[in-house]
Amino acid sequence: MVWSFGGGSFPGEGEGAPYPDREIVEPAGFHYRNVDFANFAETMAPGIGPIGDASASGFRVKAETLPKKMRYDDARPPLDFDATEALQFVSPRAKALIERFEPGVHQFEPIEYVRSDGTHVADMFVFIVCRRLDTMDRAHTNMILYDNLRWLPAKSVRRYDPNLVPPGTDLEAPARAVFNLGQIGDAGIWRDTHITPTIYASDAIVDAIKAEGLTGFGGGPQEAVA
């Protein structure tokens, strides 16, 4: 099985739960679109697929362009998997779990969580996924790889180029994304080359997160074939 992957879900709190009282305060005025690639040349390789924002690209980024301090005034303890400003944050425990499965693959840069008065709350890490894979199964998905860039529902593709939609395609059928476990191999966490900006994770990673009681993980099972 494949899982979508995210952070920021407080245990036992469903829809309508208050957002954590926190914001990035260092650097002042931080915006995720100012995060820069560590090696821009990597993004220029043939067939690399759509890139988008550096922080969600699947490539390493310049550490100096990431946030260094988060104001955290929430009464609830910080989550092991947190998310805000289009970035993912993990605790030392979550970092250790990920690196146990994929040592040296992903990027973790330190960030301190503090109260408004400067009191230390937690040492955390900005988590940048550094693996890009083409994982969609061509035979089972009913979506179309438009212009060899991204998967789109057939109904959307018809608006751009009707010639790309095979005759007899049911344009009203719900989009069905099916992943291929063979193409994923032993990867634990990745971004798909042709799907942005979702992060995906393997059964093994998600099972370990649940077994170790790490908090904040948010995601759902995705259809997959061998």
Side-chain angles (χ1 to χ4, degrees):
M1 187 181 293
V2 171
W3 293 74
S4 58
F5 179 98
S9 300
F10 276 91
E13 297 188 11
E15 186 176 347
Y19 287 106
D21 183 8
R22 48 102 161 91
E23 65 176 334
I24 293 168
V25 293
E26 188 178 314
F30 171 82
H31 196 285
Y32 68 90
R33 286 191 171 143
N34 293 330
V35 176
D36 197 9
F37 294 100
N39 181 3
F40 186 73
E42 290 182 318
T43 72
M44 306 299 289
I48 203 68
I51 300 299
D53 297 309
S55 60
S57 67
F59 292 104
R60 296 183 72 84
V61 302
K62 293 179 179 177
E64 60 268 26
T65 63
L66 292 172
K68 301 297 185 289
K69 190 168 291 189
M70 178 90 72
R71 177 190 62 77
Y72 191 91
D73 286 323
D74 202 283
R76 298 165 293 186
L79 298 164
D80 290 302
F81 293 94
D82 197 5
T84 188
E85 295 287 345
L87 294 176
Q88 301 289 323
F89 304 87
V90 296
S91 69
R93 289 181 64 209
K95 174 180 180 288
L97 183 148
I98 293 168
E99 293 204 299
R100 190 168 77 235
F101 282 88
E102 300 193 299
V105 172
H106 305 290
Q107 184 175 2
F108 301 88
E109 300 295 343
I111 181 171
E112 184 186 14
Y113 281 30
V114 298
R115 302 292 185 198
S116 290
D117 63 4
T119 304
H120 176 80
V121 176
D123 291 314
M124 299 280 285
F125 296 90
V126 186
F127 173 40
I128 303 295
V129 176
C130 297
R131 191 194 288 273
R132 288 170 62 89
L133 295 173
D134 183 355
T135 56
M136 188 73 76
D137 186 87
R138 267 55 173 176
H140 291 85
T141 183
N142 65 357
M143 295 195 290
I144 295 172
L145 186 55
Y146 178 70
D147 204 22
N148 202 36
L149 289 176
R150 64 184 75 246
W151 291 101
L152 295 176
K155 191 172 184 177
S156 298
V157 173
R158 186 183 65 169
R159 293 199 297 268
Y160 303 133
D161 189 343
N163 295 323
L164 296 179
V165 181
T169 299
D170 182 358
L171 299 175
E172 301 304 322
R176 182 186 178 206
V178 183
F179 292 86
N180 185 294
L181 297 178
Q183 292 167 221
I184 294 167
D186 61 358
I189 298 178
W190 70 95
R191 292 185 183 274
D192 188 276
T193 305
H194 302 295
I195 305 172
T196 54
T198 309
I199 301 170
Y200 296 99
S202 68
D203 256 347
I205 287 270
V206 174
D207 287 347
I209 289 171
K210 294 178 178 179
E212 296 190 17
L214 299 184
T215 59
F217 171 76
Q222 309 295 306
E223 190 174 0
V225 295

